[in-house]
Amino acid sequence: MEQKTKPRIGITIGDISGIGPEVVLKTLSDNRVLHYCTPIIYGTASAVNKYRKLLGLDNFNFQIIQDFEQLHPKKTHVLNCVEEEIDFTPGTPTAATGALARAALLRAAQDLKDGNIQAVVTAPIDKDNTQGEGFQFPGHTEFFTTYFDAPDSLMFLVADGFRVATVTGHLPLKEVANQITPELLIRKLNILDNSLRKDFGIQKPRIAVLGLNPHAGENGLLGTEETEIVIPVIEQLKNKGNLVFGPFPADGFFGTRSYQKFDATLALYHDQGLIPFKTIAFERGVNFTAGLPIVRTSPDHGTAYDIAGQNRADETSFREALFAAIDILRARAEA
């Protein structure tokens, strides 16, 4: 059944030499998507056409637009973000493909700020070749946090009822321990708790916190961050009525599937959370930036240059990201 009020969802094309265009087109070639949203692809019509032919998606049609007055509620749209034609080869990133990815992000972010679209789903970028004027960030999360003047945000990976967030994001491992402070941990736990309530409709979220060190520090034998920082923060939040538990040793926590007892798990650094998450839920995982005034999701994979242009990319994660954005918009409207 078609929704009475369908959100406009911006889709940034990512690096067109990666698998972004493939997963986008495979998702949108199913016309049932148009019952739930009005998609706008930020990229170039020529790149979309190239992949449509390459993938044999003859049933995929789109309308090129210059402004939002041209939108048709039952069509997919493409908004050209650069004027020049880009000659590219799937699997081979260039400065030009990075510049297009950057231009698409900047245009979509501005349209999101102006209210022309209600959410954005970002296809994968090459974090190196996307750098340039307007985008000097280690990733999407940091870009959108800065662009929308948010005090902080949270990298939040979700797949059905399995949810993992991280205290630190794209940070070298040697810097992680120094970044873990009581203030940061409390801030991230508050963002996580608020997001579970507002974005996922969970009234009393149960949150597990992982330890930083092996065996969660073994009572100080293998590190003191747990006894000095993590445990006091958990106790402080518990005293305020929050359902926060831990710290748990990360290996046993995931190995015994203890995460199934909680609404979300907070890992203290990137790989501690993302390795188990992608092992368990790679094909359907969604990366959601929690704590922002806007909704931004993405698939939980990268550009995968090694299979780009070979019709081998699985679009499941991107499709899940698109519908997660729609669901979060609905949850916020009903909160």
Side-chain angles (χ1 to χ4, degrees):
M1 182 180 294
E2 189 162 347
Q3 291 184 323
K4 293 181 180 179
T5 303
K6 296 190 300 182
R8 298 174 177 179
I9 307 293
I11 297 170
T12 58
I13 198 68
D15 192 313
I16 56 174
S17 57
I19 65 170
E22 180 175 337
V23 298
V24 170
L25 267 62
K26 284 181 174 178
T27 296
L28 298 181
S29 64
D30 186 339
N31 288 328
R32 289 176 296 181
V33 169
L34 298 176
H35 294 314
Y36 301 97
C37 69
T38 301
I40 302 99
I41 301 173
Y42 289 77
T44 66
S46 59
V48 171
N49 263 324
K50 180 171 180 173
Y51 274 97
R52 179 170 64 171
K53 295 175 182 177
L54 188 64
L55 301 171
L57 296 175
D58 299 329
N59 64 327
F60 176 72
N61 298 300
F62 63 90
Q63 175 178 312
I64 302 172
I65 60 170
Q66 281 77 45
D67 58 62
F68 287 85
E69 293 182 356
Q70 299 173 293
L71 282 184
H72 190 291
K74 295 186 178 180
K75 291 184 178 180
T76 293
H77 308 81
V78 174
L79 198 156
N80 288 315
C81 295
V82 296
E83 295 182 0
E84 66 277 7
E85 286 284 325
I86 296 178
D87 185 26
F88 70 96
T89 302
T92 307
T94 65
T97 65
L100 172 59
R102 184 169 66 249
L105 271 173
L106 293 171
R107 176 64 191 273
Q110 187 60 55
D111 282 340
L112 198 54
K113 184 173 283 189
D114 292 341
N116 293 323
I117 56 177
Q118 280 73 58
V120 63
V121 185
T122 58
I125 60 172
D126 183 319
K127 294 178 178 61
D128 180 37
N129 79 350
T130 306
Q131 301 298 316
E133 185 176 356
F135 188 93
Q136 296 177 344
F137 301 92
H140 285 109
T141 301
E142 296 83 359
F143 166 70
F144 281 102
T145 303
T146 300
Y147 198 91
F148 286 92
D149 298 318
D152 201 353
S153 65
L154 190 71
M155 185 184 295
F156 197 3
L157 284 294
V158 299
D160 302 320
F162 180 29
R163 306 179 185 93
V164 178
T166 65
V167 174
T168 58
H170 298 113
L171 188 71
L173 188 57
K174 66 180 180 179
E175 298 178 17
V176 168
N178 289 334
Q179 292 293 319
I180 304 296
T181 64
E183 295 76 18
L184 178 65
L185 190 53
I186 290 171
R187 195 162 67 241
K188 297 294 187 179
L189 280 165
N190 283 333
I191 294 173
L192 180 54
D193 184 82
N194 289 335
S195 179
L196 289 167
R197 295 171 188 269
K198 180 177 69 173
D199 301 324
F200 297 93
I202 301 170
Q203 297 305 310
K204 290 289 288 183
R206 291 172 56 86
I207 299 173
V209 181
L210 301 182
L212 177 67
N213 299 294
H215 305 287
E218 201 74 79
N219 294 319
L221 180 65
L222 303 178
T224 60
E225 285 81 6
E226 287 79 12
T227 56
E228 294 178 355
I229 299 172
V230 182
I231 293 174
V233 165
I234 290 174
E235 292 302 317
Q236 179 180 337
L237 292 177
K238 275 186 176 180
N239 290 335
K240 293 182 178 180
N242 297 82
L243 301 179
V244 184
F245 306 88
F248 298 99
D251 54 354
F253 182 82
F254 289 106
T256 59
R257 299 186 179 273
S258 295
Y259 61 86
Q260 295 176 343
K261 302 174 184 177
F262 301 92
D263 296 303
T265 301
L266 185 66
L268 298 194
Y269 58 94
H270 183 281
D271 283 12
Q272 185 187 52
L274 269 66
I275 289 174
F277 181 87
K278 292 188 178 185
T279 300
I280 295 167
F282 184 73
E283 290 184 351
R284 65 186 191 281
V286 175
N287 186 347
F288 166 53
T289 307
L292 301 184
I294 53 89
V295 176
R296 174 259 165 174
T297 65
S298 74
D300 71 347
H301 57 71
T303 51
Y305 292 126
D306 57 320
I307 62 169
Q310 300 173 37
N311 202 7
R312 293 170 54 194
D314 187 332
E315 73 276 17
T316 303
S317 180
F318 187 87
R319 183 173 61 246
E320 292 291 323
L322 176 62
F323 281 101
I326 296 169
D327 288 343
I328 292 167
L329 283 172
R330 185 183 302 120
R332 289 189 179 187
E334 295 174 353

